[in-house]
């Protein structure tokens, strides 16, 4: 991999090297996307050259030290990374780096400070429901109904993924522990799931809750999606919340830099 501040001529020279047969593929950018592509291609026999404008690879998946502390640039947790049978773990296995990585569960997943108190959102699926019911006992039925709904959506999305991409070994090895009953009834739900993708998170879920504060807590992680519940797709929002807590969230021990290091 080449890492320098290149001008256009440098890239032209690198392209000529690629066309001359020294390399089969040129990947511009050594973020996780570029490194993933390069890893997959090289595993399939391609000679790959990765060029990066910065002084080290990783993009946003890097860390730095300051005054005795280590800071991540961006990535600071991954859903399901510490569990077998999850999508991210199967991807790391496919790349041959999973055994080189160590993850620690993030718990609580998030702490929300409101004027009345601090609310700790557990990483674990069952514990989160128990905590929310303890915080809002009058809304217990609403909480259970919401979690049942997003779990069904999560499982149906997983089944669609398996149907469409099941030949891929990574997808084939993902284990969502979906019950036989839900597998058999999913054909009745999946068409409606696609139909509801036009609805925002607010349109899809908000009317399930009579307590605005509870809705705000459950959707507090929406910045990870880049759009608030009033704009983001409701199915995506529900699937994201399910993944966060059903697969749990994990932090790469040693910082996100370790992921880049093993990929390189």
């Amino acid at each position: 991999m080449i890492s320098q501040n290149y001008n256009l001529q440098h890239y032209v020279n690198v392209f000529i090297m690629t066309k001359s047969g020294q390399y089969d593929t040129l990947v511009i950018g050594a973020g996780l996307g570029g490194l993933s592509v390069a890893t997959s291609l090289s595993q399939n026999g391609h000679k790959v050259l990765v060029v990066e404008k910065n002084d080290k690879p990783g993009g946003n998946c890097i860390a730095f030290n300051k005054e005795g502390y280590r800071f991540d640039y961006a990535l600071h947790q991954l859903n399901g990374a510490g569990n077998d049978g999850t999508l991210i773990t199967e991807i790391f296995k496919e790349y041959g780096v999973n055994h080189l990585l160590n993850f620690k569960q993030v718990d609580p997943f998030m702490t929300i400070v409101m004027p009345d108190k601090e609310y700790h959102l557990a990483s674990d699926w069952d514990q989160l429901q128990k905590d929310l019911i303890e915080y809002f006992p009058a809304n217990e039925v609403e909480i259970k109904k919401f979690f049942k709904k997003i779990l069904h959506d999560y499982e149906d999305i997983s089944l669609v993924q398996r149907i469409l991409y099941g030949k891929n070994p990574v997808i084939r090895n993902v284990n969502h522990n979906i019950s036989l009953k839900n597998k058999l009834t999913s054909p009745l739900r999946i068409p409606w799931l696609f139909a509801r993708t036009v609805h925002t998170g607010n349109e899809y879920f908000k009317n399930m809750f009579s307590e605005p504060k509870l809705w705000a807590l459950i959707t507090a992680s929406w910045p990870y999606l880049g759009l608030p519940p009033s704009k983001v797709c409701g199915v995506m929002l529900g699937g994201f919340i399910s993944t966060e807590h059903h697969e749990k969230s994990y932090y790469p021990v040693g910082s996100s830099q370790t992921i880049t290091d093993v990929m390189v």
Side-chain angles (χ1 to χ4, degrees), residues 202-248:
N202 282 356
E203 294 168 341
Y204 194 27
F205 294 121
K206 194 173 182 181
N207 62 357
M208 297 179 67
F209 296 101
S210 58
E211 172 55 64
K213 187 183 295 183
L214 173 58
W215 172 245
L217 283 174
I218 287 178
T219 59
S221 59
W222 70 259
Y224 289 111
L225 295 174
L227 289 172
S230 61
K231 294 183 178 180
V232 74
C233 169
V235 174
M236 180 181 290
L237 178 63
F240 180 67
I241 295 172
S242 297
T243 305
E244 287 175 332
H245 302 285
H246 196 264
E247 297 183 4
K248 303 180 180 65

Side-chain angles (χ1 to χ4, degrees), residues 109-114 116-121 128 131-132 135-136 143 146-147 209 211-222 229 241 244-245:
F109 163 74
M110 186 178 288
T111 296
I112 307 299
V113 180
M114 291 190 171
D116 60 334
K117 64 187 300 183
E118 289 187 359
Y119 295 88
H120 303 285
L121 305 183
L128 176 62
D131 291 344
L132 289 174
Y135 291 141
F136 302 93
I143 293 169
F146 171 78
F147 276 87
F209 296 101
E211 172 55 64
K213 187 183 295 183
L214 173 58
W215 172 245
L217 283 174
I218 287 178
T219 59
S221 59
W222 70 259
I241 295 172
E244 287 175 332
H245 302 285

